[in-house]
Amino acid sequence: MDMETLLAYDWGIMAPEFTIIIVATLLSLMDLFLPNHFPRKWFSAFAAMAVLLAFVFTIGQLGQEANMILYDTYRLDLFATSFKLLLLIGAGLVLSLAASYQRKQDQGEFYYLLLTALLGAMMMASSADLITLFVGLELLSIASYILVGLDKHALKSNESAMKYVINGGISTAITLFGFSYLYGLTGSTQLTTISEILPSLIRTPAQGLVIMAFIMTFVGLAFKISTVPFHMWTPDVYEGAPIPVTAFLSIVSKAAGFIIILRVFLTLFGALEGLSLNETFMQSMSLWIGVLAAITMVLGNILALRQHNMKRLFAYSSVAHAGYLLVPLVALSTLTLENIWFYLLVYMFMTAGGLAVIFVLYEKHGTLDLEMFTGLYKRSPALAILMTIFLLSLAGIPGTAGFIGKLNIILGALSTDPAPIILVSIMIAATVLSYVFYFGILVQIYFRSNPFPVTIKLPIVMKTTLWICAIAIVGLGIFPNIALDFYHHHVDLFQITEMLWLSE
Amino acid sequence: MGWLTLLVFSPMVGILLLILVPSTQDKLQKRIAVSCSILPLLLALIVYQQFHSGANLSLSIPWISFGQYPFLYTIEYDLGVSGFSLVLIILTAVLMVVSMVTATMQIDKAWKQYALLTLLLEIGILGVFASQNLILFFIFFELTLVPMFLLIGRWGGFEKERAAYSYLLYNGVGSAILLIVMVVLFANVGSTNYEAIANASLSEELSMGLLIALLLAFGVKLPIVPLHTWMVRVHVQAPPALVMIHAGVLLKIGAYGLMQFGIGFFPAAFQDVAPLLAILGLVNLLYGACIAFVQKELRSIFAYSSISHMGIVLLGIAAMNEAGLQGAMFQTVSHGLIAALVFFLIGVLKAKTDTTHMRRLGGLSRTMPVTAGVLLAVGLASLGLPGMSGFVSEFMTFLGIFESMPVIAAIGTIGIILTAAYILRAIMDITFGKEVLPQDGVMDLQGKEWIPVSIMLGLIVLIGVFPTSLTHSIQTSVEAIVLRIGG
C-alpha cells in the first residue's frame, strides 16, 4: 500500500472513529505525563466532548451513500450510522454517570479505556470483513475486561474481572472457530464475498458445515449480549464491576453485540436459501434462535425474582431484555432493524436511569441490597418518581417508551408469515412475570417505612442525566414518532434491504 | 382537541394543582381534590348533552407509525363514544366525585399522594371508555393498573400488599392476553380502530381463537369464576373509598369489553360461545350467592355479591337479544351505583365502629338508625326490589335469557332467591340482631356523609322508577349490537 492509495481513500467517513481514537490517545498521554495531583476527573469532560463531536460527525453522515474503504473492509452505510448514533448516546450516558463516581484513587484510565471500547464497538458497526469485525470485537472486549477490574483493591471487582476474562476468552474462541469455518468454506473473510459463495454450498455435503459455522458464531456472539447459553457471567460481572462499568456493559457492550449479530447474520445468512424449499436460511434456523430467545426471557425473569442485590437484579433483567431483543431476529421482516434500533435506544435510557438511581443510593448508604429503596419516597420524592418511571418502562407499562418498544417488537413479529405466536406469547408472559420484581421495588419505595433518615442531594450532572433519561422515556412513550420518524427519514429502507438482501 | 380529549385529560388539572400545593396544607389539598374531581363530571355532562344533540364527538389523529412505506402500520388517536360508553363515563365521573368526598373523611395518611393517584386512575378509566381504538384502549387500561396497585398496597388493610400483588398479576395476565389479541388483529387488519376491525373479514378459526382469548382477558376483569380470587382480596383489603371505584367502574370494563369487542368484533363466533358464557354466568350467579351466604364479614359478603351480580351481566350478554343486552347494560350501571353505595356504608361503619364483622355490628337500627335504613334500602335495590335500579336490570336480563335459553334462565332464578336470602340475612342480622355496639360514641350519618348517600340513592331510585332515563342513552348501543348479531 503506497501513499497514493492511502490518500485516495475517503478518510472523512471515519471522522467519528478518528475523533474517538485521537482523544483516547491524548488522554492516555496526559495521564502519563500530567503530575499526579492533577485531578483526573477532568478527563470526563474531554471524553464527553469527544463523544459529542463524534456524534455530530455521525449525524452529518446520515443520508450519505454507502461507501467502502480500506480494501472493502470498512463500510459506512446507514446501518452503521444509525447504530453508531446509539453507541454514542450510550457512551454519553455512561460518561455522565461516571462523572459523579467517586473513586478512592483518581484513575484516568477509566476514560480512555472507555473510549477505546467505544471505538471497538463503532468499528464493529462499520466492518464489512470478518477480520475487522474481530478486531473491533476484541478491542471492545479487552478494554471491558480491564474496566471491570478497575477497582484494584476490591476483591469483588478482581474476581469478576477474572470471570469475565475467562468466559470472554471462551466465547471469543468459539466465535473465531465459527469464523474459521466461514473462511474455510469460502476462502474469503469479506462478508460480501462470503455471502456470494455460501448459496452454492447449500444442499451439498458442505451444508452441515455452514450450519456449524452459523451455530458457532451465534453462540460465541451470544456472550456479548448475554443470552443463554452464555449468560452466566452477567450477574457476577455486573455485581463486581464499578457501577459506571456495569452501565457500560449493559448499554454499549450489549448494543455492540446486537450490531455485530445483525451485521454478520443478516449479511451472510439473511438471503441465503434455506434447508428446505421456500424459506431462507435464517428461517430454517429461526426455531433454534427462537428457543434460545424463549429460554433467555423466561430464565432471566425467573432468576431476577430471587435477587436482592440490585446489580444482580439488573443483570438478570438485562438477560431478559436480550431475550426480547432476539425476537425480531427470529421473525425477520423489514421491521427487524427498526425494532432492534428503537428498543436498544429505549433500553439505554431506562437502564442508564435505573443504574444511576442505584448508584446514587449506593454512594449514600453503602449497600446494594433491595432495602436501599426502602422508604425512598419519603426521603426523596423526585428520585422515587424517576425510579418509578424507569421501572415502569423496564416492565413495559404503557405511557413509557418501554411499552412502545415491546409493542413494536410484537407487531413486527406478528406481521411476518408464519407468525411466531408462541414466541410472542412467551414474551408477553415473561413480561408479566417481570412485573413481580419491578413492582417489588416499587413496594419498597412507596409502602415500606424509612430506615435511612438521610436526605439525598444529587450532584448536578447526575440530576441532569436522570432527568434526561426520564424525559426521553416518557417523551418516547407518548410520542415515539420522534425517534421512529428520525429513523424513517434518515435510514433508507431500500439501502438496508439491499445490504441485507431482505428485498425478496 | 375536542370535548372528549378535554374530558379524558381533565383530571390532569387536579394533578397539577395538587403538585403545586405543599402537602402540609391538608385542608386546601382536600378541597382541591374534591373540586377537581367535579370538573370531569361537568365535562361529562357537556359531552352527554352534545351527544344527545347529535354533535359529532369522534376524533381521529394519526399518532404512531411503525415501519416504512409500504409496510406502514399507523396507530391513530381515536376517541369517540357510544351511548353505553357515555353512560359509563358519567358513572365514572359521578362515582369519582363521591369517592373523593368519601376519601376526605376516611383517608388520613398521605392525602396528597392518594388524591394524585386517584385522579390518575380516573384518566385511565375515562380513557378506556372513550377510546375507539384497541391500542389506545389498552394503554388507558394499563394506566389504571399502576395507580390501583399503589393505592391498594399503600392504603389498604392488613394484607394489602398481597392484595396489590394479586391484583397486579391477575390483571397483568389479563391484559397480556388482550395485548396478544390486539396485536394479532392489528397485524391482520392493519388497524386497531374498532370500526375497521368490526368490518374486517377474519377467518372463522381466527375469530373463534381471538374471542376465547378475549373472554379470558375480560373474564379476569369482570371477574368470571374461577378467575375471581384477586377481586375478593381487593374488595376486602382496599380502602372502602377505593373499592367504590373498583366495584363501581373498574369491574365494568370487563362487561364493556365483552360487549364492545366480543360481540362487536366477532358476532358470529360469539353466537357459538353464548351457551358457554351463559353457563359461566350461571356459575357466577349461584357460586357468588352461595359463598356470600356463608360469609361473616360485610366486605366479603358484598365482594361475593359483586361476583354474583356480574353473573347476571354475563347472562344478559349471553342472551344475545335486545332485552338481554339491555339488561346487561342496566345491570352494569345499576351494580356500579349499588356497589359504590354499599362500600361507602361499609367505609362509614368501619370508620365509626372499627369493625365490619356482622356479629359485632348487631342492633345497628338502634345505634345508627339512618345508616341502617340506607343499608336496608341499598340491600333491597341489590336484590331487585321493584322501583329500584336492580329490578329493571334483573327483569330485562331474565326476559332476554328466558327467550333464548329457557333452561338456564330457570336455573338462574334460583340465584335471585339466593340473593334475597343472603342480603336479607345480612341486613337483618346487622340492623335488628343482638345489640352489641355501645349506644353512645357511635354517630350516625352526618354532614358531608349525606352527599354520597343522597347522590347514589337518588340515582338508584331514579333509574328504578324511570328506566327511560337510561334507555334513552343505551338504546342506540343495544340496537347497534343487535344489528351486528343479525337479530
Side-chain angles (χ1 to χ4, degrees), chain A residues 334-335 338 377-378 388 392 396-399 403-404 407-408 410-411 414-415 421 424-425 428-429 432-433 435-437 439-443 446-448 477-481 484-485 487-489 491-494, chain B residues 63-73 75 109 112-113 116 135 138-140 142-143 145-146 149-155 160-161 164-165 168-169 171-173 175-177 179-180 182-184 186-188:
Chain A
T334 42
L335 286 165
E338 176 189 324
Y377 186 76
K378 292 251 174 62
T388 310
L392 293 181
I397 299 283
F403 168 71
I404 304 285
L407 183 69
N408 210 344
I410 294 169
L411 200 61
L414 289 184
S415 66
I421 298 242
V424 170
S425 312
I428 292 178
V432 175
L433 197 62
Y435 285 2
V436 177
F437 57 89
F439 278 79
I441 303 176
L442 292 187
V443 166
Y446 292 100
F447 302 165
R448 300 288 155 80
I478 299 172
F479 304 107
N481 272 96
L484 290 171
D485 281 346
Y487 189 84
H488 294 163
H489 283 161
V491 181
D492 179 11
L493 188 75
F494 295 106
Chain B
W63 180 31
I64 307 173
S65 32
F66 299 112
Q68 276 157 309
Y69 186 80
F71 311 99
L72 199 68
Y73 289 103
I75 299 173
K109 69 170 181 186
K112 182 173 168 177
Q113 286 88 293
L116 278 177
I135 292 197
F138 182 80
I139 289 176
F140 284 118
E142 289 279 280
L143 194 61
L145 214 64
V146 181
F149 173 79
L150 294 173
L151 283 167
I152 300 170
R154 180 119 200 250
W155 286 271
K160 54 191 175 188
E161 281 181 24
Y165 264 115
L168 180 75
L169 286 183
N171 284 282
V173 172
S175 46
I177 299 172
L179 182 66
I180 298 181
M182 246 168 52
V183 183
V184 170
F186 197 7
N188 275 292

Side-chain angles (χ1 to χ4, degrees), chain A residues 150-167:
Chain A
L150 212 55
D151 272 358
K152 308 188 257 231
H153 301 291
L155 207 58
K156 277 259 181 196
S157 186
N158 290 336
E159 184 195 330
S160 64
M162 204 61 211
K163 275 185 183 155
Y164 196 37
V165 172
I166 293 171
N167 275 304

